[in-house]
Amino acid sequence: MKKRSYVSCLGALAVAMTLVTTSLTGGTMAKYATEVTGSATATVAAWSFKANGQAAAMTGIDLGSTANRASYDEDTIKEGVIAPGTEGSFEIVVDGTGSEVGIDCSIIISKDGANGIPDGFIFKVDGISYTLGESITKKIDYDGAADAMKKPITVTWEWPNGNATASDNDNAYNDKDLTLKITVTGTQQTPTSTTENP
């Protein structure tokens, strides 16, 4: 009987200790907790870019119709064609109207088709000469005023008439069609900081 009472006491003591420990542990682990949720919003800048009024493909430019006809005697060259000694210009209008970011523009004139282009052919923008495949770069700063992001770029061309001989490659273009590919690309300018980094 004493043995049973001893075991019962130990069992009761173990239960009591478990209850005390649980209540103490539970008390020390308790804490206030609040979760607050919200959201962040931003308006993304609008983007729009066109060349000669087109967002995808420009209408072809006929160099013959852009020749400086007033400079040539009609007895020396037929209207609507080009030949060594002719020159002219055409305009590409880059238009970022509607964009809310500045734009970097690139114009690349390259040969398109099997006939190529004469060696001496020259393209100029703002008096600077460019070779075929070279990027002509322009910048359109962001401006919210009407038509402020619409910029005409005048490209002049010249087929110089030098001291040509029969071995020069100009003869290879006799009565052929010359086709140029004009690629105009507009890219968003990277925003720059107005303050220096510490």
Side-chain angles (χ1 to χ4, degrees):
M1 192 104 147
K2 276 187 176 187
K3 196 174 188 184
R4 206 170 228 194
S5 147
Y6 179 69
V7 170
S8 295
C9 281
L10 278 177
L13 182 62
V15 169
M17 288 296 288
T18 300
L19 289 173
V20 170
T21 304
T22 302
S23 88
L24 287 174
T25 304
T28 58
M29 296 295 282
K31 58 185 173 182
Y32 292 120
T34 303
E35 183 178 278
V36 179
T37 61
S39 63
T41 61
T43 301
V44 178
W47 171 257
S48 175
F49 182 76
K50 294 178 182 178
N52 285 0
Q54 303 298 314
M58 289 190 302
T59 304
I61 297 167
D62 177 10
L63 288 187
S65 67
T66 70
N68 187 0
R69 299 310 303 176
S71 300
Y72 307 117
D73 187 325
E74 60 185 26
D75 294 337
T76 62
I77 187 168
K78 179 183 175 182
E79 187 169 349
V81 299
I82 64 172
T86 56
E87 62 182 26
S89 64
F90 58 90
E91 197 171 75
I92 297 174
V93 179
V94 290
D95 187 358
T97 302
S99 285
E100 296 175 331
V101 290
I103 299 171
D104 289 325
C105 300
S106 166
I107 300 171
I108 296 176
I109 302 171
S110 55
K111 81 168 195 162
D112 192 17
N115 293 333
I117 192 167
D119 290 339
F121 223 88
I122 298 169
F123 295 97
K124 290 184 181 179
V125 174
D126 297 331
I128 300 170
S129 296
Y130 293 89
T131 58
L132 284 180
E134 188 177 359
S135 179
I136 301 166
T137 58
K138 287 290 177 184
K139 192 176 180 182
I140 303 174
D141 291 329
Y142 167 71
D143 192 327
D147 290 334
M149 294 182 73
K150 193 173 191 178
K151 306 284 183 191
I153 299 170
T154 301
V155 179
T156 61
W157 59 268
E158 181 183 354
W159 188 355
N161 186 8
N163 296 320
T165 65
S167 62
D168 288 341
N169 80 335
D170 288 353
N171 290 342
Y173 298 96
N174 163 40
D175 200 27
K176 298 240 171 88
D177 290 330
L178 305 182
T179 308
L180 300 173
K181 180 179 180 183
I182 301 173
T183 305
V184 184
T185 306
T187 308
Q188 177 208 327
Q189 290 177 6
T190 303
T192 54
S193 174
T194 56
T195 57
E196 291 184 13
N197 292 328

